């Protein structure tokens, strides 16, 4: 979670305890108010009560550190939420319930009386305690404000992940699913848990039935080679690259240079792709690859600067499902940006490569059933 949407005013501090279990068995979790914003800090704008936002912090650090940081930088960084959960099931308050936090963009902030961060840990036992508290706090917050407890439904009311906000409103975040997946929690499991909650013992109130195992079909994975090249802005086509390797042959593009056109092709299956340019925004999807056909065979417009790339690979019928994994660099920062998987269809991965306003100078692509980046 990061966010960018400043409104200045005052805030009302809250109570010291919150009941976070429902379904007959209720467990009380004490809320730590040591890092709550004061009455002269934060936003004084009330929210509409339509969504509860589920976040993950994106960094492996104690929850208390995140609370301290948000308290200290709420104005200069323009980001804070109502609650941060972590450190073995503890809850730290920063913003006040019912007043706008700055966590997921203007629409989400205006419609979410509660936004909750889940601090990240490598410790599985600590995660389990955090997860139970996080789920129950999301669920009980929704019930408190008359909000449906279903997660990421098509309706505009309910418990929403930051990824849902990205996909339906604005932004580029995918939390909390990548972090949850690292501890074995799928989207379906998370939705089930928020709907039913946990008892005071931390057990499922309504455990998910275990399906009868289906026969495992033999794998039919085929090698897919992807070939791609970039055109220097107002220059020439650079040499094509096959797959993603290391060194100068491991990426398309020219370091510290801007590019205006791109083509991508695969030796089996199909791929569609598009680019975002500083001058035009997102351009139409391209399904062919022919550098001599600048209308239908390449993505981009000559002389216009590419700052974003998105793609989607379709696996041939009967073969092991594979996806396009890709990443980029920009001229304005060192190191590759986050790895993307297809066009946002894979939880835990970015949905497009690049940063708006920063010329894209390097691109790597791999077609596989997992990421090698």
């Amino acid at each position: 979670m990061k966010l960018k949407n400043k409104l200045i005013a005052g805030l009302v501090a809250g109570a010291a305890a919150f009941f976070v279990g429902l379904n007959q068995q209720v467990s009380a979790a004490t809320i730590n108010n040591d890092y709550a914003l004061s009455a002269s800090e934060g936003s004084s704008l009330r929210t509409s009560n339509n969504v509860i936002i589920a976040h993950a912090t994106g960094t492996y650090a104690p929850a208390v550190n995140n609370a301290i940081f948000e308290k200290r930088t709420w104005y200069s960084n323009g980001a804070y939420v109502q609650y941060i959960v972590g450190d073995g099931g503890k809850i730290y308050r920063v913003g006040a319930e019912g007043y706008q936090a700055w966590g997921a963009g203007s629409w989400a902030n205006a419609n979410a009386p509660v936004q909750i961060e889940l601090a990240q840990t490598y410790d599985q036992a600590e995660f389990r305690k955090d997860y139970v508290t996080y789920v129950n706090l999301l669920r009980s917050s929704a019930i408190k404000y008359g909000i449906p407890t279903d997660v990421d439904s098509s309706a505009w009311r309910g418990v929403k992940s930051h990824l849902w906000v990205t996909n339906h409103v604005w932004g580029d975040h995918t939390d909390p699913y990548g972090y949850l997946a690292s501890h074995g929690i799928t989207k379906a499991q998370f939705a089930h848990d928020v709907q039913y909650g946990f008892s005071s013992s931390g057990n499922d109130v309504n455990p998910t039935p275990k399906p009868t195992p289906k026969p495992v079909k033999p794998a039919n994975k085929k090698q897919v080679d992807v070939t791609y090249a970039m055109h220097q802005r107002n220059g020439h086509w650079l040499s094509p690259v096959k797959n993603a390797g290391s060194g100068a042959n491991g990426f398309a593009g020219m370091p510290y240079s801007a590019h205006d056109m791109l083509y991508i092709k695969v030796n089996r299956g199909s791929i569609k792709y598009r680019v975002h340019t500083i001058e035009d925004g997102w351009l139409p999807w391209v399904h062919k690859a022919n550098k001599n056909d600048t209308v239908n065979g390449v993505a981009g417009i000559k002389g216009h600067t590419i700052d974003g790339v998105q793609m989607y690979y379709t696996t041939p019928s009967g073969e092991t499902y594979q996806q396009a994994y890709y990443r980029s660099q920009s001229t304005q920062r060192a190191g590759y940006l986050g790895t993307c998987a297809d066009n946002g269809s894979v939880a835990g991965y970015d949905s497009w490569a690049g940063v708006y306003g920063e010329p894209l100078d390097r691109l790597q692509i791999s077609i596989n059933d997992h990421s090698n980046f």
Side-chain angles (χ1 to χ4, degrees):
M1 187 286 296
K2 305 168 191 159
L3 238 270
K4 301 160 181 149
N5 157 36
K6 292 191 178 179
L7 307 163
I8 313 303
L11 184 76
V12 178
F18 194 92
F19 288 98
V20 295
L22 288 157
N23 283 352
Q24 283 91 35
Q25 291 180 302
V26 182
S27 61
T30 300
I31 292 176
N32 184 315
N33 288 305
D34 292 347
Y35 313 103
L37 299 180
S38 70
S40 61
E41 297 173 317
S43 173
S44 63
L45 295 178
R46 297 302 299 254
T47 62
S48 299
N49 300 331
N50 290 314
V51 294
I52 304 296
I53 306 295
H55 298 277
T57 57
T59 58
Y60 285 85
V64 66
N65 289 14
N66 285 276
I68 292 170
F69 179 78
E70 290 192 7
K71 164 70 173 175
R72 186 178 71 247
T73 67
W74 71 271
Y75 178 72
S76 60
N77 198 41
Y80 68 93
V81 296
Q82 279 84 6
Y83 296 113
I84 301 170
V85 173
D87 301 346
K90 296 179 181 178
I91 302 173
Y92 299 90
R93 183 196 303 277
V94 180
E97 286 190 22
Y99 290 83
Q100 293 189 20
W102 301 336
S106 58
W107 180 89
N109 296 342
N111 284 277
V114 176
Q115 299 191 49
I116 304 169
E117 287 274 13
L118 178 59
Q120 298 187 185
T121 177
Y122 293 107
D123 187 281
Q124 184 64 25
E126 182 176 328
F127 167 79
R128 178 62 185 177
K129 294 177 182 177
D130 295 344
Y131 180 68
V132 168
T133 300
Y134 178 63
V135 163
N136 281 347
L137 184 56
L138 287 166
R139 171 178 166 74
S140 55
S141 297
I143 292 174
K144 176 179 179 180
Y145 288 97
I147 296 171
T149 58
D150 48 349
V151 176
D152 288 356
S153 72
S154 59
W156 286 82
R157 301 189 76 242
V159 177
K160 305 297 184 185
S161 67
H162 203 161
L163 174 63
W164 186 95
V165 176
T166 293
N167 289 339
H168 293 84
V169 186
W170 174 88
D172 59 3
H173 290 256
T174 60
D175 53 305
Y177 290 119
Y179 173 58
L180 294 182
S182 73
H183 285 282
I185 302 295
T186 64
K187 285 185 178 181
Q189 184 65 55
F190 179 56
H192 169 274
D193 293 340
V194 172
Q195 183 178 2
Y196 294 105
F198 292 96
S199 67
S200 58
S201 65
N203 294 321
D204 289 355
V205 172
N206 186 3
T208 306
K210 294 186 182 296
T212 303
K214 295 181 179 179
V216 177
K217 294 182 180 180
N220 186 26
K221 181 180 177 183
K222 304 295 185 181
Q223 171 67 36
V224 180
D225 292 323
V226 55
T227 303
Y228 49 107
M230 301 193 76
H231 184 275
Q232 282 188 293
R233 187 181 64 192
N234 300 321
H236 63 280
W237 282 101
L238 300 170
S239 298
V241 174
K242 180 185 287 189
N243 303 324
S246 59
N249 295 321
F251 59 84
M254 178 67 69
Y256 315 111
S257 296
H259 301 83
D260 53 12
M261 290 185 286
L262 164 72
Y263 74 79
I264 307 172
K265 61 183 177 180
V266 291
N267 68 331
R268 63 185 310 108
S270 62
I271 193 166
K272 66 176 183 178
Y273 57 101
R274 64 176 181 169
V275 299
H276 183 281
T277 69
I278 294 175
E279 296 83 358
D280 312 290
W282 285 107
L283 298 174
W285 290 99
V286 175
H287 299 265
K288 301 178 181 180
N290 181 356
K291 67 181 182 181
N292 296 317
D293 180 359
T294 58
V295 176
N296 299 307
V298 302
I301 297 174
K302 191 170 185 179
H304 291 200
T305 305
I306 295 174
D307 59 358
V309 175
Q310 191 176 47
M311 65 193 73
Y312 189 87
Y313 174 74
T314 300
T315 306
S317 177
E319 295 185 10
T320 300
Y321 183 60
Q322 300 191 75
Q323 294 155 322
Y325 292 93
Y326 55 105
R327 62 181 184 173
S328 69
Q329 286 197 44
S330 84
T331 59
Q332 297 183 28
R333 61 188 74 207
Y336 280 99
L337 301 167
T339 300
C340 309
D342 278 345
N343 61 346
S345 60
V346 185
Y349 290 92
D350 291 340
S351 59
W352 58 275
V355 177
Y356 290 142
E358 299 185 10
L360 187 149
D361 70 345
R362 274 165 275 196
L363 179 67
Q364 287 189 309
I365 311 173
S366 172
I367 308 296
N368 212 322
D369 59 355
H370 64 281
S371 174
N372 289 318
F373 297 128

